[in-house]
Amino acid sequence: MQDTWRQSAGAEMAERPEDTPVSVTGPLKSVNTSEGPLTTRTLFECAAVIDELFQFEGAFMGMTDPTLREILHEEMSGEYGLPWRLASALAGRELGGSVVLALIDYALNPVVPGLTSADPSVDWRELYPPYRFAAAAKAMADWESDLEFQYPSHELTVHFQHTLAKRSGLRMGHVVAPPSGLSTLREAATKPMHLAERTPAVSLMCASHLLDLREKDVCALSHYGVNFLGDRAVRFVDPDRDMWWLFPVFQVSRGEYRWPAEHVNLDEATDLLMGAAVASAYDDVLHGTGPLASDHLPGALFEDRGEVDALNKILKDSAGLDMGWCRA
């Protein structure tokens, strides 16, 4: 996989000598507020709550439990609302949810040292999401974005990003090369590769689809809640049609393995299941102790001793180690 990043100006990664140092410069400091430290986790949590609040404006409003709104407002008055309150204080006015979501998205997409053509190093303040968020919020102090008056759109959000980059002096990272050359689930199941590679291959393929969506309709991700407004909500009525990769591809329900039959047949789904089992076993060996975990796998698979023995043989052949499930 080749990940390259470009800045809003369009510059892409240039080849460098192997001995070119890559570094993060500047002091590694946290962002402290009167309510405590601002963290990357809090930025994610705040964005999630704001996106959920969109439900009360969209097509599904009549189906939403009104007590949920009270719960969300309660969460927003606590730790999860810290980024919103901080952004409004730094901007000197109350910012709307759409603007705060755009600021969070901007903060969570930094440049990466060594993957920009301008410089193999990056300052900590440009890399660390909380610093990026605070600096971006300050840049709103004497500037009003159209996002404050209209629902987000791709064009408004892209213009916001470009303007914010100029005003804040912080570049925004953009993934150029797709994480995967695969486009379908069937390709991930049938292309020759080690079993342990199949699960990452599915994840990278879905990530590639997400990046394509971001290029065409950035606010579908930066403002996830807009997917429940107006015509956008139709895409979620039948996700298997064109957005199947946005949802969990495989599921275990009541001990049984389920897969999207529209995209893979039984044999292909079985190979992907074996890949998931082998990949998880590698994780157990590298990071854990004791018996191999099986809670994430279909329970029905372990009810037949013959199937367990077959699975253990596949794992032994793949890993080259005599290990397996249901062993003391």
Side-chain angles (χ1 to χ4, degrees), residues 157-230:
T157 308
V158 170
H159 180 264
F160 180 89
Q161 294 172 349
H162 289 175
T163 304
L164 197 58
K166 294 178 182 178
R167 296 183 62 85
S168 68
L170 302 176
R171 298 164 293 175
M172 184 169 181
H174 292 265
V175 177
V176 175
S180 171
L182 306 178
S183 60
T184 68
L185 196 56
R186 175 159 285 117
E187 288 179 297
T190 58
K191 183 177 180 179
M193 65 178 77
H194 191 281
L195 272 178
E197 294 181 274
R198 296 209 182 278
T199 295
V202 172
S203 298
L204 291 172
M205 179 199 61
C206 292
S208 187
H209 281 296
L210 280 170
L211 290 174
D212 287 342
L213 177 61
R214 187 176 180 87
E215 290 297 318
K216 300 172 184 175
D217 187 11
V218 61
C219 65
L221 299 180
S222 65
H223 299 74
Y224 188 74
V226 302
N227 290 300
F228 301 94
L229 298 178

Side-chain angles (χ1 to χ4, degrees), residues 146-164:
D146 288 341
L147 282 174
E148 299 186 53
F149 314 105
Q150 303 176 42
Y151 277 126
S153 67
H154 177 72
E155 292 73 22
L156 283 178
T157 308
V158 170
H159 180 264
F160 180 89
Q161 294 172 349
H162 289 175
T163 304
L164 197 58

